[in-house]
Amino acid sequence: MTMSALGEPCVLLKLGEVVLKGNNRELFEQRLQANIKAALKDFDFKVDVRQRHGVIALFLPDGTTVEVADAVAERVAYVPGLVWIHRAWRVEKDPGAVTKAAIELLADRDDVRRGVSFAVRSRRRDKRFPLTSMEIDRSVGGELNDIYGLPVDLKNPELVVSIEVDRDEVFVFTGGMPGQGGLPVGTSGRGLVLMSGGIDSPVAAYRMMRRGLRVDFLHFSGIPFTTSESIYKAYALVRALDRFQGRSRLWVVPFGKAQQSIKASGQDRLAVISQRRLMLKTAEEVARRLRAGALVTGDSLGQVSSQTLQNITAQDDAVDLPILRPLIGLDKTEIMAEARRIGTLEISELPDEDCCTLLAPRRAETAAKIADLRQIEKRLDAEELAVQLAGSLQEYKLEG
């Protein structure tokens, strides 16, 4: 490919839900731009981020290679708020230059040699350009047909050559990769995720990040009665999820002695729900210190005994903060598919000694009564215990 014909490599980002925000749109766009810049901070050059109507263009320094431009595109594909990422070429606003770039773009492609069907689809955001969108399609499409002999299919083409005329330049590209969609992280406040080492809670965290929530992660360890394996696993999960928001923080509470106290209370069937309520009370205290406005769990209705409707209601009673449950209507197959897609499933399936193994009653209560749970908590002085547990909080900083 000759750089002179193709112009300069760049990345074109398409916005989704952000464009529907009316008078608040500018605030969402500013947050999204900041998140994009933060995601690219590890590159050893400055990326010029420019906002256009409905798109964001990333201009790279002179001499940037195609491989580096591809790496930039792949990195920003993890940033929520974007629906499509296109590795594009920036060419001058001249019909002849646009045609040459489109011709060069298809050179040496295997699918072109196979004779795939194609179409040219143009969008003219700058109406001052001398050709209309339809005229661009016909002009460029005719040249491509003459040179490569590809069949034209305007309804279901196998290859689409996209041309977008902007204020200062024209973008030419084929294909693209889907983004995460949703809203920019940080536009919906801050939450605290109760992060186990299982499959569900990482997916719940991801879903809330996609809705604009910046999250911290709270893990309950069985220490001193278990090893640190579950902490290492939680740490690995947070690292995997950090691609979507950056600057993630993992907090760990040693929970083993509190579990021992619950077990010693003698209420075997209520032990699991009592534990869950104490975790939530502790999380609420931690959230207060971190200024988080909600708790997030991976509960799915009816999946296990603690997640029956009555038991979920009993857990809600334990705290005043809202508990967000983004997986509530999903089954395990759906949750696993999403975990696989976002890259957390393999980590979640690693063996570890989870704190929940310390409380494994022969039969767990599926319809716990709130009054009974409050009685147990009164004997344990659960409110004070939650404050003490929050006071033992440790932060595990992500490296790099």
Side-chain angles (χ1 to χ4, degrees), residues 121-282:
R121 291 184 177 154
S122 305
R123 183 176 181 186
R124 192 176 61 141
R125 283 190 285 272
D126 184 355
K127 305 304 181 187
R128 298 170 299 175
F129 195 71
L131 301 180
T132 65
S133 296
M134 189 173 293
E135 289 170 338
I136 297 171
D137 292 347
R138 288 174 178 170
S139 174
V140 175
E143 289 286 343
L144 294 176
N145 183 256
D146 289 344
I147 292 173
Y148 296 111
L150 300 177
V152 176
D153 185 346
L154 299 181
K155 288 188 176 179
N156 296 297
E158 297 170 277
L159 173 64
V160 175
V161 177
S162 298
I163 298 171
E164 300 195 3
V165 181
D166 219 316
R167 186 180 64 203
D168 301 318
E169 62 275 303
V170 178
F171 300 105
V172 182
F173 57 91
T174 60
M177 66 182 84
Q180 303 302 320
L183 298 173
V185 170
T187 55
S188 298
R190 182 180 290 276
L192 180 64
V193 178
L194 277 71
M195 173 67 93
S196 70
I199 295 170
D200 302 341
S201 54
V203 177
Y206 165 75
R207 288 208 158 197
M208 295 317 304
M209 286 188 279
R210 275 189 78 244
R211 297 313 306 156
L213 199 68
R214 169 161 287 283
V215 300
D216 283 282
F217 299 89
L218 178 63
H219 177 69
F220 291 90
S221 162
I223 288 176
F225 303 111
T226 63
T227 67
S228 299
E229 282 183 354
S230 73
I231 299 175
Y232 301 146
K233 190 173 177 183
Y235 183 91
L237 288 166
V238 172
R239 278 195 69 88
L241 292 168
D242 189 59
R243 296 173 296 175
F244 302 105
Q245 70 168 7
R247 307 192 314 279
S248 298
R249 299 188 294 181
L250 171 63
W251 306 89
V252 176
V253 167
F255 199 62
K257 290 183 178 179
Q259 289 178 297
Q260 192 178 52
S261 298
I262 292 171
K263 196 168 187 178
S265 70
Q267 300 293 327
D268 193 48
R269 288 185 55 145
L270 293 174
V272 172
I273 300 302
S274 294
Q275 171 182 273
R276 290 285 293 175
R277 280 174 61 102
L278 182 56
M279 285 179 169
L280 289 167
K281 287 178 182 294
T282 305

Side-chain angles (χ1 to χ4, degrees), residues 351-362:
D352 73 302
E353 197 173 8
D354 188 90
C355 72
C356 294
T357 59
L358 299 179
L359 283 180
R362 195 172 304 169

Side-chain angles (χ1 to χ4, degrees), residues 249-377:
R249 299 188 294 181
L250 171 63
W251 306 89
V252 176
V253 167
F255 199 62
K257 290 183 178 179
Q259 289 178 297
Q260 192 178 52
S261 298
I262 292 171
K263 196 168 187 178
S265 70
Q267 300 293 327
D268 193 48
R269 288 185 55 145
L270 293 174
V272 172
I273 300 302
S274 294
Q275 171 182 273
R276 290 285 293 175
R277 280 174 61 102
L278 182 56
M279 285 179 169
L280 289 167
K281 287 178 182 294
T282 305
E284 183 176 49
E285 178 62 24
V286 173
R288 183 186 65 77
R289 300 180 185 194
L290 299 178
R291 298 185 179 179
L295 305 178
V296 180
T297 74
D299 293 336
S300 170
L301 186 63
Q303 183 173 221
V304 294
S305 62
S306 64
Q307 295 170 15
T308 63
L309 183 58
Q310 194 160 339
N311 283 352
I312 286 175
T313 302
Q315 291 172 60
D316 284 339
D317 172 74
V319 294
D320 294 324
L321 275 182
I323 303 173
L324 307 180
R325 298 181 172 93
L327 310 186
I328 195 69
L330 301 186
D331 64 30
K332 199 66 176 184
T333 302
E334 293 170 313
I335 297 169
M336 289 179 69
E338 186 142 320
R340 185 178 293 108
R341 185 182 68 79
I342 65 174
T344 59
L345 181 62
E346 190 174 341
I347 301 170
S348 294
E349 289 181 331
L350 292 172
D352 73 302
E353 197 173 8
D354 188 90
C355 72
C356 294
T357 59
L358 299 179
L359 283 180
R362 195 172 304 169
R363 286 187 62 197
E365 181 61 66
T366 59
K369 293 181 173 58
I370 292 174
D372 294 339
L373 293 165
R374 288 179 176 174
Q375 279 296 115
I376 296 172
E377 290 170 354

Side-chain angles (χ1 to χ4, degrees), residues 1 29 59 75 83 86 92 206 245 319 322 335 362 393:
M1 293 185 180
E29 290 177 340
F59 296 135
R75 180 64 192 89
V83 293
H86 302 286
E92 60 181 293
Y206 165 75
Q245 70 168 7
V319 294
I335 297 169
R362 195 172 304 169
L393 194 66

